[in-house]
Amino acid sequence: MKKEAIQHFNTEEYIYPVKRNELVFKIRCAKKDISKCILVYWDRTKPENQKRQELKCCYRDGLFDYFQGKIIFHQIARYQKYYFELTDSSGNMMYYTANGLQQVIPKSGFFEYLYVNGTDVITFPEWAKGVIYYQIFPERFCNGNRGNDPEGCKPWGTLPDREHHMGGDLQGIIQKIPYLRELGIECIYLNPIFEADFNHKYATTDYFKIDSQFGTEETFRELVDTCHSYGIRIVLDGVFNHTGVHFKPFQDVLEKQEKSRYVKWFHINHYPVEPSHHNYECVGAYKWMPKLDTSNPEVREFILKVMFYWIDHYGIDGWRLDVADEVDPSVWEEARIQIKEKYPDKILLGETWGYAGKMLRGNQMDSVMNYVFRDALRDYIAEKSISVTEFDSRLNHMLAYYKDETNCLLYNLIDSHDTERFLYLCREDKTLLKLAVAFQILFPGSPAIYYGDEVGMTGDNDPDCRRCMEWEENADKDVKNWYQKIIQLRKNYSCIRSGSFRTVIADETTDTYGFVRKDETGSCYVILHRGTKNCKIECPVLERGVFAEVLSGELLREEDIGEAELLNEDITEYKGKVTLQMEPYSVKVIMSSSNSSKKQ
C-alpha cells in the first residue's frame, strides 16, 4: 500500500472487559478496505510469547467495517500489549499501533491494556437481557376505582388534552395484569405516579407519596406484589431533573427568597423569584417545572434517598430515569455504586433521544430508551423517507456503536407518550404497523410496547398519543393476535432473544430487508418486504438442509448459491440460499432445521 493511502486510512480501536479475565477487542476500518484483521498480543513481561487471533467483521455501516473478538485469559487481564495486523483487499499488509498505521512490523508504540478493576466490568440484571417491556401511562390505561377520580374527570375515551383527566389508576392496572401476562409482557414501565401537578405527573410535588388520583401506597404495594406473582417486573419513572413549583423546597424559595435554605437546590437567575422561566432554569422554558441543580451534593443525596425508598419499602425492580442526559452524571455514578452494591438485580434505564455512549460505559445506566432505533424504523417503514441501504447502515452503525452486551438490553421502542403513535405515522395502515412490530420484536434488544399499540391505537403527538386504552369491542383483535404470535416466537427461540445479528438482504430493487439471528441452537432469518408488489427473494443461509417458515408452516429446502451475488458474502460463510415468494408489506420468519422445533 502506498504511503499516501496509509495517511488517509481511517482506523480506530477500542477495548473493554466482559469479565475480569475476558477482553473484547474492537477495531473500525474503512468499509471493505480490510479483508483480514489479526490481533497480535502478549504479556509485557513476556514479549517473546506473542499470540495471534483473527478478529471477525461483525457490523458494517455506510462508511466502516467493525471487527471484533474476545480473548479469555487464565487470570485477571493485566499488562497486555497489542497491535493489529491488517490485510487490505489487494493483499497488502500493514500494522496499526498507538502511533498509527505503518508498513513494517512495529518494534514500539504498542497499545497496552493495564488492568481490569472490578468496576470496569459492565454488569447488568440478567433478567433484563431481551426482556419485553410494556409502557403504561397510568391516567389513561384503566379506571379501576371511580372513587378516586379527580374533580371534572372526563368520560373514558374523550379525546385527550393537556388539562383534563380520564380516571386511570393503579387499581385498574392491577385488574389488567392477567391481560398483560397473556400478551407476553415481562416488565412494566410506569409513567410517573407520585403526587404531582398536571395529568402527566412530571411536575412532582412529593416524591414519597402516591398521587391520590392513582390510589394509595397500599394500592401500589398490591400492584407490585401482583406483578411479581405473575412473573412481571415493574419499573418506576424517576423525574429527578426537575420538580413542580409546588415541591416544598421550591415553595420555600418562593416564600423566603434569598434566605431559603434551598436556594442552591435550583438554578436561580435573579431575585425576587416568582413563577417565571426568566427567574430560574426550567424544562423547555416551562415555568411550572423548575430544574434541580443536580450537581449539588444535597440534591444528589435527596435523589438517592427517593430511589432507595421505593426499592427498600416496595420492592420495585428499578428506575426509568427521565431526561437522564440532562442530569449531572455524578448523580447516576453515585446511584449505580450504592444501588448495585445492595441490589445488583435492579435496572437503571435512562431516557435519551440520541446515542448514549457516555451513560453506557458501565458507571451509570444499564440501558437507555433507544430512540435511535425508533427513528430508523419510523423513517424506513412508516415515512418511507430512507432506502433499505440507508436503513441497514443506520442499524449496523447503532449496533457497532454500543457493546454487544449492551445491545441486548436496549429499550427498543417504536413510539411513546412523547411521540406520535406508530400507526398514526403509517397513515393508519395496519399492515405497515405489523411489519414494524415483527421487526421490533425479532431484532436484538428489549422490545418496548406502548400501551394500546397492540390493539391498533393511533394518535398524533402529545397529547393525542395519550388516548384512553381501547378495551373489548374497540380493540383490534387481529393486531393483538399478531403481537402475541411474534412475542411467542421471541419466547420460544433463544436465538431471537439473545443471538447474534447479521444483515443478509438489503435489496433496493424489491425493497426488501433481511437479517439472521444465530446462537448455538440454530438460526432465525427475518425477511421484511416493504415493497408494494409481489416478488421473489433469494435469502442466503448459513446451514444446509430444510428450513421452516414458522408463520405459515411452509417448508423450504436449501439450494446451491449458483451465480447469485449475496449481501456481505465477503464476511459471511453462506452455505446456500432459499427462495421465497413475498407479498407486499409482508414478513417471513425462517428457522433452520437445527432449531425449528426447539424451545428455550
Side-chain angles (χ1 to χ4, degrees), residues 79-333:
Y79 310 130
Q80 292 296 310
K81 289 182 176 288
Y82 62 97
Y83 66 89
F84 300 91
E85 179 184 286
L86 308 175
T87 303
D88 70 12
S89 54
S90 299
N92 300 310
M93 193 172 291
M94 69 203 91
Y95 307 91
Y96 183 56
T97 71
N99 292 331
L101 281 163
Q102 56 192 73
Q103 292 176 289
V104 298
I105 297 175
K107 296 183 179 179
S108 62
F110 307 115
F111 297 108
E112 183 171 13
Y113 191 89
L114 296 176
Y115 193 83
V116 180
N117 292 290
T119 55
D120 293 332
V121 178
I122 293 179
T123 59
F124 52 82
E126 194 63 31
W127 63 263
K129 188 176 182 180
V131 69
I132 301 171
Y133 288 98
Y134 191 86
Q135 180 190 353
I136 294 177
F137 195 79
E139 224 279 312
R140 307 290 160 76
F141 186 64
C142 181
N143 190 341
N145 179 7
R146 297 192 181 277
N148 58 24
D149 288 1
E151 184 178 349
C153 197
K154 293 285 187 178
W156 193 260
T158 302
L159 284 178
D161 56 36
R162 290 195 170 95
E163 305 300 327
H164 294 95
H165 299 81
M166 306 289 182
D169 52 31
L170 299 182
Q171 193 62 47
I173 299 173
I174 293 171
Q175 294 174 7
K176 298 300 182 180
I177 296 302
Y179 165 86
L180 297 177
R181 173 71 173 189
E182 179 190 15
L183 183 61
I185 300 307
E186 298 168 333
C187 183
I188 295 172
Y189 149 46
L190 286 182
N191 285 106
I193 58 172
F194 304 141
E195 186 178 90
D197 297 327
F198 309 109
N199 57 29
H200 54 67
K201 302 304 175 186
Y202 278 95
T204 315
T205 60
D206 191 337
Y207 288 88
F208 297 97
K209 185 178 180 182
I210 301 295
D211 197 290
S212 60
Q213 77 172 76
F214 294 145
T216 65
E217 284 69 30
E218 286 309 307
T219 317
F220 178 66
R221 188 183 302 280
E222 181 185 355
L223 172 60
V224 175
D225 291 344
T226 303
C227 285
H228 288 169
S229 71
Y230 278 85
I232 296 174
R233 309 269 180 171
I234 187 164
V235 171
L236 293 186
D237 208 330
V239 188
F240 302 124
N241 174 67
H242 53 273
T243 72
V245 293
H246 294 107
F247 180 52
K248 286 183 179 179
F250 191 77
Q251 285 290 301
D252 194 78
V253 171
L254 293 178
E255 177 186 349
K256 300 175 183 176
Q257 297 292 315
E258 296 98 325
K259 296 181 179 180
S260 171
R261 67 173 298 265
Y262 296 106
V263 291
K264 292 186 178 180
W265 278 43
F266 304 92
H267 299 272
I268 307 298
N269 296 326
H270 57 77
Y271 297 93
V273 179
E274 58 185 27
S276 168
H277 68 279
H278 297 295
N279 289 150
Y280 47 85
E281 291 291 319
C282 44
V283 178
Y286 192 54
K287 65 182 181 180
W288 306 115
M289 293 183 181
K291 182 177 172 64
L292 284 165
D293 184 355
T294 50
S295 64
N296 183 329
E298 284 189 19
V299 173
R300 182 166 62 244
E301 183 180 352
F302 174 79
I303 292 172
L304 288 170
K305 183 178 179 181
V306 174
M307 295 177 75
F308 267 110
Y309 177 81
W310 294 97
I311 297 173
D312 288 340
H313 294 276
Y314 296 90
I316 66 168
D317 298 289
W319 289 94
R320 178 268 188 187
L321 298 159
D322 190 56
V323 289
D325 49 3
E326 295 183 35
V327 174
D328 191 289
S330 65
V331 174
W332 309 137
E333 291 166 1

Side-chain angles (χ1 to χ4, degrees), residues 368-386:
V368 293
M369 298 183 76
N370 195 3
Y371 277 97
V372 174
F373 170 87
R374 178 257 179 183
D375 292 349
L377 205 55
R378 173 202 62 197
D379 293 349
Y380 178 61
I381 291 182
E383 298 187 349
K384 301 183 180 180
S385 60
I386 61 173

